[in-house]
């Protein structure tokens, strides 16, 4: 059974920093892209940052230059370093992973349970 467990959310002040982690447990044939999404009340879940298995990254315009996504492929763990936080960064952050469990199955999408990040002004 696949589980994505996020940690590291919490409360920060404007200009502060927080780090998120997402540990994927289970047996995988191949882990493809991993990403962080954010949901704010009343809005859909939006992509914050993504990273391919080869380390190519992409960011939402609103976080470029402030957030850094990385991953440890040996541990199937995803990270998000958030610096220069702004109140607009507030939301529930979800970890996402696309992976194949075996060589005989198609890739599927997996989600964490979410972790709250609140930035006070």
């Amino acid at each position: 059974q696949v589980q994505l467990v996020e940690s590291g959310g919490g409360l920060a002040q404007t200009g502060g920093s927080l780090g998120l982690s997402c540990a994927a447990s289970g047996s995988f044939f191949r882990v493809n892209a991993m990403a962080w999404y954010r949901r704010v009340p009343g809005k859909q879940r939006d992509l914050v940052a993504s990273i391919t298995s080869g380390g190519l990254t992409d960011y939402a315009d609103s976080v470029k230059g402030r957030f850094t996504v990385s991953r440890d492929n040996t541990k199937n763990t995803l990270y998000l370093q958030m610096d220069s936080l702004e109140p607009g960064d507030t939301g529930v952050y979800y970890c996402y992973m696309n992976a194949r469990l075996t060589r005989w199955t198609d890739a599927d999408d997996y989600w964490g349970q979410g972790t709250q990040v609140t930035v006070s002004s």
Side-chain angles (χ1 to χ4, degrees):
Q1 184 177 356
V2 177
Q3 273 193 315
L4 300 182
V5 179
E6 297 118 335
S7 61
L11 178 65
Q13 293 186 332
T14 297
S17 298
L18 283 174
L20 304 181
S21 299
C22 171
S25 62
S27 178
F28 310 103
F29 171 70
R30 179 172 296 146
V31 177
N32 299 318
M34 301 184 78
W36 291 99
Y37 284 75
R38 177 174 65 209
R39 175 178 284 165
V40 298
K43 294 186 177 181
Q44 66 182 17
R45 189 159 47 187
D46 291 326
L47 178 68
V48 174
S50 65
I51 183 167
T52 67
S53 58
L56 295 177
T57 59
D58 191 26
Y59 297 91
D61 288 342
S62 62
V63 307
K64 283 181 181 176
R66 300 187 298 117
F67 289 12
T68 303
V69 63
S70 61
R71 63 191 281 176
D72 184 337
N73 291 333
T74 65
K75 299 179 181 179
N76 290 325
T77 299
L78 177 70
Y79 304 96
L80 185 68
Q81 178 62 37
M82 304 182 290
D83 299 318
S84 301
L85 284 163
E86 303 169 354
D89 297 322
T90 295
V92 178
Y93 284 70
Y94 295 89
C95 174
Y96 161 86
M97 179 182 74
N98 180 270
R100 292 175 65 184
L101 300 189
T102 73
R103 64 176 66 245
W104 301 282
T105 56
D106 293 333
D108 207 346
D109 297 329
Y110 301 91
W111 293 91
Q113 80 286 355
T115 184
Q116 177 70 43
V117 171
T118 302
V119 183
S120 63
S121 57

